[in-house]
Amino acid sequence: MTTTHATGSPGGGAEGAAGLLSRTRTTVNPRLRATVESLPGQIRRIARYHFGWEHADGTPTEANAGKAIRPALVLAATQAFGGDPKEAVRAAAAVELAHNFTLLHDDVIDEDPTRRNRPTAWTVFGIPDAIIAGDALCALSLRLLAEDPHPASARAAARLADCVIELCAGQQADCAFENRAPQDVTIDECLTMAEAKTGALLGCACALGALYAGAGDEEVEAMDAFGREAGLAFQLIDDLIGIWGDPAHTGKPAGADLAAHKKSLPVVAAMASGSPAAGELAELYRAPAMDASAVRRAADAVERAGGRDWAQTQAADRMARAVHHLSRAVPDLASADELLALAEFVTRRTR
């Protein structure tokens, strides 16, 4: 059955997800821009650049500002419980601000030179200013909820604050992995880190949408579980893209995660295989740097050691778990077709 939503078009499938993401940007961006405009001087300039609204010199542009998956989850979850997505726009914008706080910091930590086919903020404005701008976006996200007159805003603010702490714990664990040999990082440790670093915010987005629709505690927790499992699937696919993604689409060099010696989920799974290819991969990771040829050999070793197949299988399994949690919260899945469309988009995307 095709359901027509208040947000304007049918849901379901990749086409439904694309439409929802487009409508989310149209709905949430005015609030996002207005909130960013409240920042002082240079911090506001960095934020505008990071979001793709301005060039480095301050002239306007319409660069890629991201997919808006997290705010879309807020609005779609509100819709699924019979709420009005327009009442959850502040919550959707708050989640997007928190997400972009993490991106600004991640780019500094990972020393990534590009994001969305543009130089990262820290390479343009310097490390201190990029970190400070990220801090400001985090504060803005919580202020936006604190000032929201909606009756769910206080619970939403507390939940988002807890989520940010969990995000920080996940990032700290990820950084700690860098000081360990890749074969010494277990798959369970890596999955726990990924849930905190990625799954927590997707879970929070879904929970906030349920809260804003007036859902009960059990439904809110089930939606959080749905988002967390979808977030793990998202991270698994993201890790695959970090190795085999097309630079024209990712905005980063081919095999960027391998060149950076990241202990991503496919890499850790490959190392755990105990195969000859795992030994080759470990040897490549012991080298201080990888040139293009070494990156290609490392990608091949991950694949031969089963890391690629494992990650793809895990992503499908995590999405099956996500749908199970969603069915507990919303027994009539026809009313949650936009959430399902987003889940499908997460696992089928290639960039």
Side-chain angles (χ1 to χ4, degrees):
M1 183 175 87
T2 300
T3 304
T4 300
H5 300 283
T7 45
S9 73
E15 187 173 317
L20 174 59
L21 293 170
S22 176
R23 296 194 308 277
T24 296
R25 287 189 289 269
T26 299
T27 302
V28 175
N29 273 2
R31 171 61 64 181
L32 198 59
R33 282 179 178 261
T35 305
V36 168
E37 285 304 306
S38 69
L39 292 170
Q42 179 70 354
I43 297 176
R44 180 173 66 246
R45 181 184 172 196
I46 297 166
R48 285 171 174 168
Y49 173 84
H50 170 75
F51 277 108
W53 303 334
E54 288 184 357
H55 292 295
D57 63 5
T59 55
T61 184
E62 289 298 331
N64 177 13
K67 298 180 181 68
I69 290 171
R70 291 154 189 83
L73 286 171
V74 176
L75 301 186
T78 304
Q79 180 79 41
F81 286 95
D84 183 355
K86 292 178 182 176
E87 294 185 2
V89 168
R90 283 176 180 256
V95 168
E96 186 69 350
L97 287 165
H99 173 53
N100 280 275
F101 135 70
T102 68
L103 296 184
L104 280 162
H105 284 198
D106 282 357
D107 287 343
V108 171
I109 292 168
D110 296 339
E111 299 182 344
D112 282 337
T114 58
R115 178 173 292 281
R116 301 164 184 159
N117 294 303
R118 305 174 83 207
T120 44
W122 73 269
T123 67
V124 175
F125 300 99
I127 289 175
D129 277 5
I131 292 173
I132 291 166
D135 293 341
L137 292 187
C138 183
L140 271 187
S141 70
L142 296 173
R143 191 183 78 185
L144 195 56
L145 291 175
E147 292 177 348
D148 190 351
H150 194 283
S153 63
R155 290 177 66 193
R159 196 168 194 110
L160 183 58
D162 284 342
C163 176
V164 168
I165 293 169
E166 188 174 356
L167 289 171
C168 292
Q171 181 63 67
Q172 190 279 327
D174 193 19
C175 292
F177 288 169
E178 298 305 308
N179 296 319
R180 295 166 59 184
Q183 60 268 33
D184 292 340
V185 178
T186 69
I187 292 176
D188 284 346
E189 285 179 309
C190 212
L191 286 169
T192 299
M193 177 275 293
E195 180 180 347
K197 188 176 175 182
T198 303
L201 189 55
L202 271 72
C204 182
C206 295
L208 261 57
L211 282 171
Y212 269 68
D217 290 346
E218 287 188 13
E219 288 84 3
V220 170
E221 294 308 319
M223 290 304 297
D224 182 88
F226 163 75
R228 284 175 179 270
E229 293 290 358
L232 272 173
F234 183 98
Q235 187 60 58
L236 284 154
I237 298 300
D238 203 57
D239 285 352
L240 290 169
I241 292 169
I243 298 174
W244 291 283
D246 182 351
H249 294 148
T250 65
K252 297 181 179 182
D257 284 2
L258 296 174
H261 291 72
K262 284 190 178 180
K263 299 172 183 69
S264 63
L265 285 159
V267 168
V268 172
M271 293 283 191
S273 71
S275 64
E280 294 172 32
L281 183 61
E283 186 65 29
L284 287 164
Y285 260 63
R286 278 192 284 270
M290 286 193 223
D291 59 17
S293 174
V295 166
R296 288 192 295 271
R297 293 199 306 275
D300 178 64
V302 173
E303 183 151 16
R304 285 186 288 113
R308 188 174 193 169
D309 287 344
W310 176 88
Q312 290 170 335
T313 301
Q314 274 286 312
D317 178 62
R318 294 294 173 170
M319 278 315 312
R321 297 187 197 188
V323 173
H324 170 71
H325 289 300
L326 181 61
S327 67
R328 289 196 298 117
V330 189
D332 180 9
L333 287 177
S335 63
D337 59 348
E338 288 191 331
L339 285 168
L340 289 169
L342 285 170
E344 182 180 357
F345 172 81
V346 163
T347 53
R348 291 179 181 266
R349 71 197 179 97
T350 58
R351 60 188 182 184

